[in-house]
């Protein structure tokens, strides 16, 4: 039996593999990657590498074995048909008879177009008859804290979320929830709505940045159209900019507030707080 992690060299996947190494022997972990070179450090630590690509179904043909537990990390190639990509993994997992397939989805409350691929993938997974776990990850702190340079330069947090609030958490927190499922028992056919412990608004985020950097930073709410223009002006592709602006509209409606407590229950510890996320980013 192996614990198999797809997208293992991605931002979330690396966290998952690192945390798995703290819980199980390296030889029990299989990291699915497209580029072996990017995972050379994992191989050096004893992790088994499997080279496969969501866009090449044949590469998943004999990757899984009966009894494996699989984490399907959702793809980020929005223009290549993510549902079909995910189905490649689900079909291969079903053919092999894996014990569990966990999928990183989106909150059930999210109505933005970003969630469409996730809902469709969930339908494919449930129809497969595989034992499943839906890890409906909320938004990531890193979506904001990794892009601090323009915020600090202009002294402004610019979002199209109005006074909406969001239950963000760190990649490490979401990874810990996945690891708990992959190494624990009793998670078959369960859905977990995951998010941070304390929702916050962007005025609070700006105030926390001000407090920790000593700079005067204000929250500047704009319309989704204006935000789309700002993001495309910064080099983002138009479709992706539109998706992010639509997510902000969902935040304004409260669609990314998660109140289940599932994340903390799975990990057994409090999720990273807003102050801690800002501190890590400012010091990093």
């Amino acid at each position: 039996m192996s614990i198999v992690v797809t997208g293992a060299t991605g931002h979330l996947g690396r966290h998952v593999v690192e945390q798995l190494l703290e819980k199980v022997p390296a030889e029990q972990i299989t990291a699915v990657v497209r580029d072996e070179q990017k995972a050379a450090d994992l191989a050096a630590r004893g992790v088994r590498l499997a080279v496969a690509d969501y866009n090449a179904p044949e590469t998943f043909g004999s990757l899984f074995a009966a009894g494996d537990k699989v984490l399907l990390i959702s793809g980020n190639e929005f223009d290549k048909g993510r549902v079909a990509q995910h189905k490649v993994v689900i079909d291969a997992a079903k053919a092999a008879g894996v014990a569990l397939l966990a999928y990183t989805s989106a909150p059930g409350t999210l109505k933005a177009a970003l969630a469409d691929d996730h809902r469709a993938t969930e339908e494919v997974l449930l129809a497969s008859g595989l034992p499943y776990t839906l890890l409906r990850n909320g938004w990531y702190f890193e979506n904001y804290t990794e892009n601090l340079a323009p915020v600090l330069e202009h002294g402004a947090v610019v979002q199209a979320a109005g006074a909406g609030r969001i239950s963000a958490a760190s990649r490490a927190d979401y990874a810990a929830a996945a690891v708990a499922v992959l190494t624990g028992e009793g998670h078959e056919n369960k859905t977990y709505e995951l998010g941070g412990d304390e929702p916050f608004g962007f005025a609070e985020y700006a105030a926390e940045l001000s407090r920790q950097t000593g700079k005067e930073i204000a929250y500047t709410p704009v319309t989704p159209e204006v935000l789309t223009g700002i993001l495309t002006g910064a080099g983002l592709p138009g479709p992706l900019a539109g998706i992010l602006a639509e997510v902000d509209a969902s935040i304004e409606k409260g669609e990314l507030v998660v109140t289940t407590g599932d994340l903390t229950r799975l990990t057994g510890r409090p999720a990273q707080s807003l102050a801690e996320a800002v501190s890590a980013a400012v010091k990093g």
Side-chain angles (χ1 to χ4, degrees):
M1 189 279 285
S2 188
I3 295 175
V4 186
V5 180
T6 73
T9 54
H11 290 305
L12 180 62
R14 275 204 167 270
H15 277 288
V16 172
V17 175
E18 289 288 347
Q19 292 185 38
L20 280 171
L21 283 165
E22 298 172 5
K23 294 274 187 86
V24 300
E27 60 268 20
Q28 289 183 20
I29 305 168
T30 298
V32 181
V33 300
R34 286 193 288 194
D35 183 349
E36 276 187 292
Q37 295 303 312
K38 290 184 178 178
D41 59 314
L42 299 177
R45 294 166 69 181
V47 174
R48 175 176 171 257
L49 300 187
V51 179
D53 189 321
Y54 294 153
N55 301 304
E58 67 277 5
T59 61
F60 281 92
S62 58
L63 198 155
F64 304 119
D68 283 352
K69 289 185 176 180
V70 179
L71 176 64
L72 169 55
I73 294 180
S74 57
N76 58 6
E77 296 176 314
F78 296 96
D79 59 336
K80 291 189 177 179
R82 291 198 298 168
V83 180
Q85 289 180 330
H86 299 158
K87 188 174 185 299
V88 165
V89 181
I90 293 167
D91 288 348
K94 181 178 181 180
V98 306
L100 180 74
L101 191 144
Y103 172 66
T104 61
S105 192
T109 50
L110 182 64
K111 302 296 188 286
L114 179 68
D116 292 348
D117 286 351
H118 292 300
R119 295 290 92 81
T121 299
E122 289 182 4
E123 290 176 9
V124 172
L125 178 53
L126 267 62
S128 74
L130 279 170
Y132 68 86
T133 306
L134 300 181
L135 296 165
R136 288 179 169 171
N137 291 351
W139 218 227
Y140 296 76
F141 273 129
E142 288 89 348
N143 289 339
Y144 306 113
T145 58
E146 285 185 347
N147 300 293
L148 283 183
V151 173
L152 299 178
E153 179 185 348
H154 299 291
V157 170
V158 181
Q159 301 288 153
R165 301 173 74 75
I166 181 171
S167 302
S170 69
R171 289 190 187 114
D173 283 329
Y174 292 119
V179 168
V181 166
L182 294 168
T183 60
E185 300 296 333
H187 300 290
E188 293 82 2
N189 305 329
K190 298 282 182 67
T191 298
Y192 297 111
E193 299 284 349
L194 305 174
D197 299 330
E198 295 291 336
F200 63 90
F202 288 102
E204 292 168 77
Y205 175 51
E208 190 60 39
L209 283 170
S210 298
R211 186 179 73 81
Q212 294 202 33
T213 63
K215 299 177 184 290
E216 189 62 41
I217 298 170
Y219 171 41
T220 304
V222 296
T223 65
E225 293 74 21
V226 169
L227 182 62
T228 300
I230 291 171
L231 294 174
T232 53
L236 259 65
L240 179 57
I243 285 171
L244 294 176
E246 190 185 6
V247 168
D248 268 17
S250 290
I251 292 172
E252 184 169 24
K253 297 172 188 170
E255 293 176 10
L256 279 173
V257 171
V258 179
T259 59
T260 60
D262 284 351
L263 182 60
T264 294
R265 270 195 297 277
L266 279 175
T267 64
R269 56 174 169 73
Q272 186 184 54
S273 68
L274 174 62
E276 290 167 342
V278 169
S279 176
V282 169
K283 291 175 181 174

